[in-house]
């Protein structure tokens, strides 16, 4: 496939993404040494993040004129609120956290800043820019999980963190990401250099926010 736009976005964030792999939180999941309290903090922050993440996709429905693209964005709203959140709900059950408990959690300052940025992009710009905003989170989780599996062969069998690794390293998750990439290419077809530069700026900013999210989780920073 010709993924010129996505390849450009990934090339611009190579150093940032390499930093994810060196992060102590990621290594803690990989080798099973992560303090469960840190994971609990991360899980709850990510849970509230996903509601705003879904709203960004929902704005894609509003901004799109192509019915197929509208269905794509709408489908991801449903899959985030259902499928991806199932990983979180499973862990919440194991940790004795109810959905009511989780929904009372206030987002950290970094979390709120990240989602506010994405929602501003979604409110002010078009479908391709919205796709650039959501793509960093989706692709980077696959990138991290597959790196963990490749370098820590038993990580997906860990009694606690294995479910997280399996979910984001799965073929089902990768297949959904391939669809997102294909639509990124379709939406950016015919874009000028300045428009492509804007997509890159958005993707870089969201990748930096992802790095800050891992820092926030490690430090349990509100």
């Amino acid at each position: 496939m010709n993924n010129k736009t996505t390849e450009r976005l990934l090339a611009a964030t190579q150093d940032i993404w390499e930093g994810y792999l060196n992060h102590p939180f990621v290594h803690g999941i990989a080798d099973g040494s992560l303090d469960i309290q840190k994971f609990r903090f991360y899980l709850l922050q990510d849970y509230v993040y996903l509601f705003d993440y879904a709203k960004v996709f929902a704005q894609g429905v509003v901004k799109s004129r192509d019915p197929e693209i509208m269905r794509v964005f709408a489908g991801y709203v449903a899959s985030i609120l259902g499928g991806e959140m199932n990983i979180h709900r499973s862990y919440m059950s194991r940790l004795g956290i109810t959905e009511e408990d989780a929904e009372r959690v206030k987002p950290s300052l970094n979390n709120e800043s990240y989602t506010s940025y994405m929602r501003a992009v979604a409110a002010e710009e078009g479908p391709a820019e919205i796709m650039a905003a959501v793509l960093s989170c989706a692709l980077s989780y696959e990138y991290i999980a597959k790196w963990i599996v490749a370098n820590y062969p038993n990580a997906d069998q860990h009694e606690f963190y294995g479910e997280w690794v399996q979910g984001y390293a799965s073929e089902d998750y990768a297949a959904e990401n391939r669809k997102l990439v294909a639509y990124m290419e379709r939406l950016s077809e015919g874009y000028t250099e300045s428009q492509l530069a804007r997509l890159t700026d958005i993707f870089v900013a969201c990748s930096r926010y992802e790095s800050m999210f891992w820092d926030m989780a490690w430090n349990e920073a509100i």
Side-chain angles (χ1 to χ4, degrees):
M1 294 178 63
N2 185 358
N3 296 331
K4 287 194 300 183
T5 300
T6 306
E7 288 169 5
R8 174 176 177 150
L9 303 181
L10 294 173
T13 53
Q14 184 176 355
D15 290 345
I16 299 171
W17 283 38
E18 284 299 314
Y20 304 155
L21 306 183
N22 294 318
H23 201 282
F25 193 97
V26 170
H27 277 268
I29 289 178
D31 65 14
S33 66
L34 182 66
D35 187 321
I36 288 179
Q37 179 58 36
K38 289 185 184 294
F39 186 80
R40 185 183 191 279
F41 179 88
Y42 154 80
L43 184 75
L44 291 172
Q45 287 295 319
D46 201 46
Y47 184 81
V48 296
Y49 164 90
L50 285 174
F51 284 104
D52 277 330
Y53 190 59
K55 289 176 184 179
V56 177
F57 277 94
Q59 195 72 4
V61 179
V62 175
K63 293 295 183 74
S64 299
R65 294 186 178 183
D66 182 332
E68 182 184 348
I69 301 295
M70 292 174 68
R71 284 191 289 269
V72 168
F73 279 115
Y76 278 95
V77 174
S79 67
I80 292 164
L81 296 178
E84 185 163 0
M85 279 187 160
N86 286 342
I87 297 175
H88 296 67
R89 292 185 182 108
S90 173
Y91 275 112
M92 284 158 48
S93 176
R94 293 164 73 178
L95 292 168
I97 303 166
T98 66
E99 287 197 43
E100 291 75 16
D101 292 335
E103 288 164 10
R104 284 193 293 268
V105 171
K106 292 185 178 180
S108 73
L109 187 61
N110 281 344
N111 193 350
E112 196 159 24
S113 178
Y114 184 6
T115 57
S116 294
Y117 174 78
M118 286 194 296
R119 291 180 67 181
V121 168
E124 296 170 8
E125 305 193 45
E129 290 73 25
I130 292 171
M131 190 64 79
V134 299
L135 201 57
S136 177
C137 178
L139 296 185
S140 67
Y141 269 61
E142 179 186 353
Y143 176 75
I144 289 167
K146 286 187 172 177
W147 176 84
I148 289 174
V149 169
N151 290 275
Y152 295 82
N154 297 319
D156 61 346
Q157 300 304 314
H158 188 272
E159 60 183 1
F160 190 78
Y161 296 118
E163 183 179 356
W164 189 96
V165 176
Q166 288 174 27
Y168 291 113
S170 70
E171 175 53 30
D172 286 347
Y173 187 75
E176 291 302 314
N177 279 344
R178 287 194 292 272
K179 292 179 186 177
L180 286 178
V181 168
Y183 282 105
M184 179 77 266
E185 299 304 318
R186 176 171 168 176
L187 290 167
S188 62
E189 187 175 357
Y191 259 35
T192 64
E193 177 58 32
S194 62
Q195 288 174 312
L196 291 170
R198 177 57 183 154
L199 295 181
T200 304
D201 287 345
I202 294 168
F203 190 82
V204 168
C206 289
S207 293
R208 292 178 63 195
Y209 274 120
E210 283 291 318
S211 183
M212 292 166 63
F213 204 97
W214 294 120
D215 289 342
M216 172 211 70
W218 178 253
N219 294 315
E220 298 178 58
I222 293 295

